[in-house]
């Protein structure tokens, strides 16, 4: 009984809370790649060896000082159904690449979903930490502390010259990938983003639509991250990315102001229509849901929707629940697209109803 | 490997071509590549490579984009990692190294890659949390001595500072540490 209590312990997920600059910056993420010394990279390992490696990392990590095993959920993807795996990708707890190696893939997930350790991707282990809003330092400190805990338990592949060795030389050195997820509806509407993205790419930063190109475009959610890991320190990496994020946030806010100045009524109408549609629709595709939620997010950030209408938490929760994986996971089975859209609309209405019930 | 066009010379250019929708691996000698209008100067085989541009639709490796160009293979690029058996060619096709020793085995070739996709070829960051290497401890000791030296100077304890300076000098001259010191 006690064990069951433990497993079902409800911990509020990290993404329901607000963070710095959350009107534009949805979240910050830091990912660190590590490989164990004396073990070949995954391309050279057999299925059995990969499984054994997963066991080794998990057992060492969970037994490490500073780690409470009760805070972590240990998942072998092979034991999880398809919707479950997909929902992990949607919540960015695992990468789509990990799903491709489902047979050997394993992941440790912190109960509040703010951190995960992926095993079975191109590197032996990838440590990831996510925080709400724009807070690179906090995300970095989180991921670093987990990396250090692991390094203290297991010898990692490292040389003085090249730093931490990774399966792909594009990650060698710090093994660090820092990214900020930005909600940029106004820059998209004013067509500024295209120009900006090109300039950023030339400067060695990547701008990508967030999970699934099409839904990202609909939701105006973009991810900006560093590219280089060798010849540049973590501090500089954070600073440089931060400088660009600062600018993007500023530009998005300016674009929002301009939009409000020139077409306030049209924009307000759009926000309120989107709210009504989400509350009443009987069928919602992922694309439509994400597009409508983007409007709510913008409306909320502009101060047009107050707590009476809906909470920030509800917007974040809806955003996390409309992906096809999450929808089907709730239903517990694979659904054909049409039924999935009905189900999605139902889930959205239920979440609105639950919110009203709270008051 | 012999050139797939003339079958005489040693091949030194490798790329994927797509002709009529079919992907093909080509290995050409420099002469044949020139004849076909592929130029590979400072900018490498770029999007503007001569009359065959339309025919060779995909010189770009899917995983790597243009970073792999120019795709010249010199003889030493057929080397094999002694530990895991990975060849440079295999790595270029798959994009993933086989083991930590690959970095040593392909050190020269990787330098070219770092120049294109990284900021430099020298690591800038901390050591592993449990680093057992002596270089680490020596370097750490030097850092500590430096701090003590600075403090001594600040307190105008010049005799102490001079002693510390000599110890730092002695430690710095031990092998392997020099490189790290230069960086600081
Ligand atoms: Zn030839
Ligand atoms: Zn190797």
């Amino acid at each position: 009984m006690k064990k069951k209590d433990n497993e079902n312990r409800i911990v509020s997920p990290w993404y329901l809370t607000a963070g710095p600059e959350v009107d534009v910056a949805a979240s910050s993420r830091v990912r660190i790649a590590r490989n164990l010394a004396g073990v070949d990279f995954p391309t050279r390992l057999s299925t059995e060896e990969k499984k054994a490696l997963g066991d080794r990392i998990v057992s060492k990590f969970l037994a490490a000082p500073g780690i409470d095993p009760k805070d972590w959920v240990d998942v072998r993807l092979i034991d999880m159904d398809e919707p479950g795996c997909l929902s992990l990708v949607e919540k960015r707890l695992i990468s789509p690449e990990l799903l491709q190696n489902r047979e050997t893939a394993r992941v440790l997930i912190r109960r509040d979903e703010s951190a995960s350790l992926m095993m079975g991707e191109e590197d032996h282990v990838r440590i990831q930490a996510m925080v709400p809003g724009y807070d690179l330092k906090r995300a970095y400190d989180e991921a670093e502390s987990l990396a250090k805990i692991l390094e203290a338990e297991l010898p990692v592949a490292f040389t003085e010259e090249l730093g931490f060795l990774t399966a792909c030389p594009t990650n060698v050195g710090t093994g660090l990938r820092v990214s900020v997820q930005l909600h940029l509806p106004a820059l998209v509407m004013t067509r500024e983003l295209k120009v900006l993205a090109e300039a950023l790419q030339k400067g060695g930063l990547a701008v990508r639509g967030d999970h699934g190109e099409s839904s990202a475009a609909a939701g105006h959610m973009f991810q900006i991250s560093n590219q280089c890991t060798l010849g540049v320190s973590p501090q500089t990496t954070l600073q440089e990315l931060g400088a660009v994020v600062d600018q993007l946030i500023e530009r998005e806010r300016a674009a929002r102001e301009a939009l409000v100045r020139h077409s306030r009524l049209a924009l307000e109408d759009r926000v309120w229509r989107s709210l009504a549609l989400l509350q009443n629709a009987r069928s919602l595709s992922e694309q439509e849901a994400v597009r409508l939620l983007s409007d709510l997010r913008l409306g909320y950030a502009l101060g047009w929707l107050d707590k009476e209408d809906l909470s920030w938490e509800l917007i974040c929760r809806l955003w996390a629940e409309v992906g096809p994986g999450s929808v089907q996971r709730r239903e517990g089975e694979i659904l054909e697209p049409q039924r999935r859209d009905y189900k999605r609309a139902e889930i959205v209405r239920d979440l609105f109803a639950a919110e009203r019930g709270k008051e | 490997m012999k050139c797939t066009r003339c079958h005489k010379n040693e091949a030194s250019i490798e790329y994927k071509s797509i002709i009529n929708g079919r992907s093909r691996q080509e290995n050409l000698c420099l002469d044949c590549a020139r004849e076909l209008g592929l130029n590979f100067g400072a900018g490498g085989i770029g999007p503007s490579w001569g009359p065959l541009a339309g025919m060779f639709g995909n010189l770009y490796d899917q995983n790597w984009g243009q970073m792999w160009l120019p795709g010249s293979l010199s003889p030493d690029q057929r080397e094999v990692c002694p530990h895991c058996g990975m060849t440079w060619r295999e790595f270029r096709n798959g994009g993933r190294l086989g083991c930590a020793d690959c970095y040593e085995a392909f050190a020269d070739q990787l330098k070219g890659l770092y120049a294109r996709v990284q900021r430099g070829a020298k690591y800038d960051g901390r050591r592993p949390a449990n680093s057992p290497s002596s270089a680490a401890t020596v370097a750490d000791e030097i850092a500590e001595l430096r701090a003590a030296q600075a403090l001594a100077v600040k307190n105008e304890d010049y005799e102490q500072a001079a002693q510390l300076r000599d110890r730092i000098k002695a430690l710095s001259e031990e092998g392997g540490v020099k490189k790290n010191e230069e960086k600081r």
Side-chain angles (χ1 to χ4, degrees):
Chain A
M1 188 64 209
K2 198 158 180 238
K3 186 158 183 260
K4 195 154 185 229
D5 277 357
N6 232 338
E7 272 164 11
N8 294 338
R9 188 156 52 117
I10 308 237
V11 179
S12 185
W14 67 274
Y15 51 81
L16 296 185
T17 51
E21 325 291 345
V22 79
D23 58 322
V24 179
S27 65
S28 306
R29 175 172 67 162
V30 168
R31 211 196 55 203
I32 295 174
R34 290 289 182 264
N35 288 278
L36 302 198
V39 182
D40 287 356
F41 294 149
T43 41
R44 283 290 191 259
L45 297 180
S46 69
T47 302
E48 285 315 307
E49 284 169 324
K50 283 184 200 165
K51 284 181 182 165
L53 182 68
D55 289 340
R56 187 176 162 206
I57 294 171
V58 168
S59 61
K60 279 286 187 184
F61 180 79
L62 291 181
I67 293 294
D68 183 351
K70 290 200 283 296
D71 288 343
W72 297 81
V73 184
D74 178 11
V75 180
R76 288 180 176 84
L77 292 193
I78 196 77
D79 296 336
M80 189 175 251
D81 60 9
E82 192 96 357
C85 291
L86 266 181
S87 81
L88 292 182
V89 175
E90 286 162 12
K91 290 178 171 179
R92 298 189 297 159
L93 288 166
I94 65 172
S95 61
E97 291 75 36
L98 192 73
L99 204 47
Q100 282 165 18
N101 308 314
R102 195 157 156 202
E103 201 188 340
T104 52
R106 188 148 169 191
V107 58
L108 281 175
I109 301 171
R110 196 150 66 190
R111 281 189 193 273
D112 67 356
E113 300 180 12
S114 66
S116 61
L117 269 71
M118 280 183 270
M119 288 141 286
E121 236 218 44
E122 66 176 59
D123 291 306
H124 290 158
V125 56
R126 290 215 163 153
I127 299 148
Q128 174 184 281
M130 295 187 281
V131 300
Y134 172 35
D135 202 343
L136 288 177
K137 176 82 172 57
R138 201 179 134 210
Y140 176 71
D141 288 346
E142 273 292 319
E144 268 282 280
S145 74
L146 295 174
K148 284 178 182 166
I149 286 172
L150 193 79
E151 288 160 21
E153 297 299 310
L154 291 159
V156 296
F158 176 87
T159 67
E160 296 287 333
E161 190 65 24
L162 293 172
F164 295 95
L165 303 182
T166 52
C168 183
T170 50
N171 296 317
V172 73
T174 57
L176 187 68
R177 204 63 76 196
V178 182
S179 56
V180 181
Q181 195 189 30
L182 296 169
H183 185 228
L184 306 173
L187 285 181
V188 173
M189 288 181 215
T190 58
R191 295 181 215 288
E192 262 184 86
L193 188 68
K194 240 192 127 205
V195 183
L196 284 173
E198 275 163 24
L200 290 173
Q201 236 129 24
K202 275 184 198 136
L205 296 163
V207 184
R208 242 173 270 113
D210 211 48
H211 66 76
E213 284 298 321
S214 58
S215 64
H220 307 126
M221 207 54 103
F222 297 87
Q223 197 156 287
I224 172 156
S225 52
N226 70 303
Q227 297 287 70
C228 298
T229 53
L230 190 63
V232 54
S233 71
Q235 288 69 31
T236 306
T237 303
L238 259 58
Q239 266 167 25
E240 288 179 353
L241 189 74
V244 174
V245 170
D246 285 342
Q247 267 195 44
L248 279 171
I249 290 177
E250 216 167 282
R251 295 248 204 158
E252 167 67 20
R253 284 180 184 151
R256 286 180 190 183
E257 262 174 46
L259 273 179
V260 170
R261 223 172 21 248
H262 294 295
S263 39
R264 173 163 188 140
L265 271 180
L267 200 59
E268 254 183 58
D269 183 56
R270 178 168 161 169
V271 168
W272 287 100
R273 273 170 188 277
S274 296
L275 178 62
L277 269 172
L278 283 165
Q279 284 171 328
N280 295 290
R282 259 50 186 171
S283 170
L284 283 170
S285 67
E286 185 197 11
Q287 191 129 332
E288 185 181 15
V290 166
R291 180 171 60 76
L292 299 174
L293 282 169
S294 171
D295 291 341
L296 290 202
R297 219 182 160 106
L298 178 61
Y300 196 96
L302 291 170
W304 294 348
L305 302 164
D306 53 36
K307 291 211 175 69
E308 311 250 305
D309 308 307
L310 83 169
S311 65
W312 181 252
E313 187 183 318
L314 179 61
I315 296 177
C316 296
R317 190 183 290 279
L318 287 166
W319 204 289
E321 297 293 343
V322 296
S326 301
V327 168
Q328 294 174 104
R329 193 181 180 194
R330 272 177 174 248
E331 194 66 1
E333 60 174 321
I334 306 271
L335 301 171
E336 45 149 341
Q338 198 185 22
R339 276 197 56 210
R340 202 191 296 161
D341 291 351
Y342 287 130
K343 187 70 203 167
R344 180 177 292 111
E346 193 185 313
I347 290 169
V348 169
R349 291 200 311 277
D350 285 352
L351 286 169
F352 270 107
E355 174 94 347
R356 278 193 296 275
K358 260 194 224 163
E359 287 154 19
Chain B
M1 181 182 288
K2 294 273 183 250
C3 169
T4 48
R5 184 163 174 269
C6 65
H7 304 290
K8 279 200 328 240
N9 301 330
E10 200 63 17
S12 55
I13 300 265
E14 176 191 351
Y15 61 87
K16 279 189 205 125
S17 63
I18 294 186
I19 299 169
N20 296 331
R22 291 193 55 185
S23 165
R24 239 180 85 179
Q25 178 83 31
E26 300 276 353
N27 297 288
L28 300 177
C29 68
L30 288 180
D31 291 343
C32 287
R34 267 196 206 98
E35 267 180 58
L36 287 170
L38 301 168
N39 55 59
F40 33 89
I45 299 175
S48 60
W49 11 262
L52 291 184
M55 200 169 140
F56 296 94
N58 189 11
L59 277 171
Y60 292 83
D61 185 295
Q62 278 188 334
N63 291 319
W64 292 87
Q66 61 190 17
M67 71 176 85
W68 280 117
L69 299 168
S72 54
L73 271 183
S74 58
D76 68 319
Q77 288 180 317
R78 275 173 237 123
E79 267 173 18
V80 176
C81 170
H83 177 77
C84 73
M86 172 140 315
T87 62
W88 179 247
R89 184 180 298 265
E90 185 185 354
F91 165 64
R92 283 189 16 160
N93 289 334
R96 306 286 178 271
L97 294 166
C99 74
D101 291 356
C102 286
Y103 278 99
E104 189 72 42
F106 306 127
D108 289 343
Q109 297 92 315
L110 286 170
K111 282 215 174 81
L113 176 64
Y114 302 146
R116 282 187 293 261
V117 304
Q118 295 283 14
R119 197 75 68 84
K122 177 83 184 90
Y123 175 56
D124 188 355
R126 69 169 174 87
R127 296 191 178 79
N130 66 341
S131 174
S133 84
S134 61
T137 44
V138 172
D140 288 347
E141 201 178 327
I142 290 172
E144 272 177 39
L145 290 173
R146 282 252 163 87
Q149 185 192 18
L151 192 71
V153 171
K154 201 177 154 213
N155 294 337
E156 300 185 0
D157 187 351
Y158 295 112
E159 200 186 318
Q160 169 80 358
Q163 277 177 19
L164 286 165
R165 186 200 58 214
D166 292 340
R167 280 195 61 198
I168 291 168
K169 196 164 169 248
L171 272 174
S172 302
E173 274 159 14
E174 285 178 19
V177 180
K178 273 208 167 115
K179 234 182 284 172
N180 292 308
E181 280 305 294
E182 278 162 19
K183 210 180 75 195
R184 293 189 181 192

